[in-house]
Amino acid sequence: MTSWFFDSSHEQPLTSAAHQASQQFQIRAATPTDLTAISQIIAESFHSQTGFWGWAFPLLRLGIYEDFRNRLSSPAPHHICLVAVDTTITGANNLVGTVELGLRFQDSWKQNGKSFLYLSNLAVDQKYRRNGVASKLLLSCETLCQEWGFKDLYLHVLEDNHQARQLYFKLGYKMYKVESNWNLFFLQRSRQIFLHKHLNFDSSD
C-alpha cells in the first residue's frame, strides 16, 4: 500500500472567522487504532440511535467495526480507507471523517471484465460538517486515483440526500444512472443514484 500523507486546511465553513483560521485537517490512511472512531462516525451517519431501530445501533456499529477490521487486516489491491484528523490544539488529533476507495468489477460475482474505482462510506462527524472535511477526503481520493493509474471514479448517493448530491455535483460528479429497485418502492425508501467523474489530469504532472 502506498504510504502518503495529505496536509490540508479546510474550505470556507459556515463558522466564525476566528474558528475558520484556527481549524486544520490532515488526511491520512487509516490504521487499526482508528477503527473505533471510524465505526462510530459511520454508524451515526447512516443509522438512527432513536426510534424503533435505536436498540440495534450498538450491533450495527459492531458489524461496521468488524467489516473494517477485516478489510484493514487483509487489504486488497487498490483499496484504502482514508481518515480526516483535526490537528488543531482543541481538536487534539481527533478523527472527524472517513471514506473508502476500492476496486470494483462490473460483474460483482466474478473478478473479471472491466474494473473501476468506487467511493463508499463517506462520513463526517456531525460537529465538523460544513467545514470542508468531505471535500478534502474526496479530493484526496482523486489524488490516489491518479497515483494508481485510473481516470474515473464512481459512487452511489441516495436520491433524497440533497446535501450530499450538491457536494458531489459541485466537485464535478455527474449522474450515470438511477438504480431501479422495486423493493425500495414498496419499502418507501429513496432510490440510489450512480454518479461518475472523469478525471482530467495534466499529462505534464
Side-chain angles (χ1 to χ4, degrees):
M1 181 179 296
T2 303
S3 175
W4 52 268
F5 196 93
F6 288 102
D7 185 1
S8 58
S9 59
H10 68 103
E11 296 178 353
Q12 184 71 25
L14 299 179
T15 54
S16 67
H19 186 67
Q20 174 184 348
S22 65
Q23 203 163 24
Q24 290 187 339
F25 303 106
Q26 292 174 334
I27 310 298
R28 60 169 172 79
T31 66
T33 58
D34 298 319
L35 286 172
T36 298
I38 289 172
S39 58
Q40 181 68 28
I41 289 174
I42 292 179
E44 289 179 349
S45 297
F46 297 108
H47 303 288
S48 175
Q49 299 185 63
T50 60
F52 178 77
W53 290 105
W55 64 271
F57 183 84
L59 296 176
L60 294 168
R61 182 178 55 198
L62 178 61
I64 294 169
Y65 180 97
E66 290 299 324
D67 285 342
F68 272 86
R69 185 178 66 84
N70 291 334
R71 289 199 289 276
L72 287 181
S73 62
S74 301
H78 299 122
H79 173 273
I80 194 170
C81 175
L82 300 179
V83 293
V85 179
D86 183 355
T87 59
T88 60
I89 295 176
T90 55
N93 291 314
N94 186 37
L95 195 152
V96 301
T98 185
V99 68
E100 273 191 282
L101 179 66
L103 196 64
R104 293 203 177 181
F105 297 84
Q106 286 184 332
D107 187 341
S108 59
W109 295 102
K110 299 178 181 179
Q111 292 191 2
N112 54 26
K114 185 178 179 181
S115 59
F116 58 93
L117 282 182
Y118 181 81
L119 287 162
S120 61
N121 291 319
L122 175 63
V124 177
D125 186 308
Q126 186 174 4
K127 298 186 297 295
Y128 285 85
R129 292 173 186 173
R130 295 184 176 275
N131 282 270
V133 177
S135 296
K136 298 299 183 187
L137 287 165
L138 291 169
L139 293 174
S140 297
C141 287
E142 293 185 14
T143 300
L144 278 172
C145 184
Q146 180 182 22
E147 290 181 3
W148 291 349
F150 292 83
K151 294 185 178 180
D152 297 275
L153 282 171
Y154 295 84
L155 60 87
H156 279 100
V157 63
L158 291 176
E159 189 175 31
D160 63 357
N161 191 341
H162 301 292
Q163 183 174 342
R165 288 174 58 185
Q166 183 179 17
L167 170 64
Y168 295 135
F169 293 151
K170 178 182 177 181
L171 292 179
Y173 285 85
K174 300 182 184 301
M175 185 180 299
Y176 189 78
K177 67 177 179 178
V178 177
E179 304 285 0
S180 298
N181 191 323
W182 284 105
N183 290 331
L184 297 179
F185 175 78
F186 288 116
L187 294 173
Q188 295 184 336
R189 294 179 179 175
S190 178
R191 295 182 301 177
Q192 285 190 320
I193 300 176
F194 198 38
L195 300 181
H196 163 250
K197 181 176 182 178
H198 180 72
L199 305 174
N200 294 309
F201 297 119
D202 187 346
S203 59
S204 63
D205 290 344

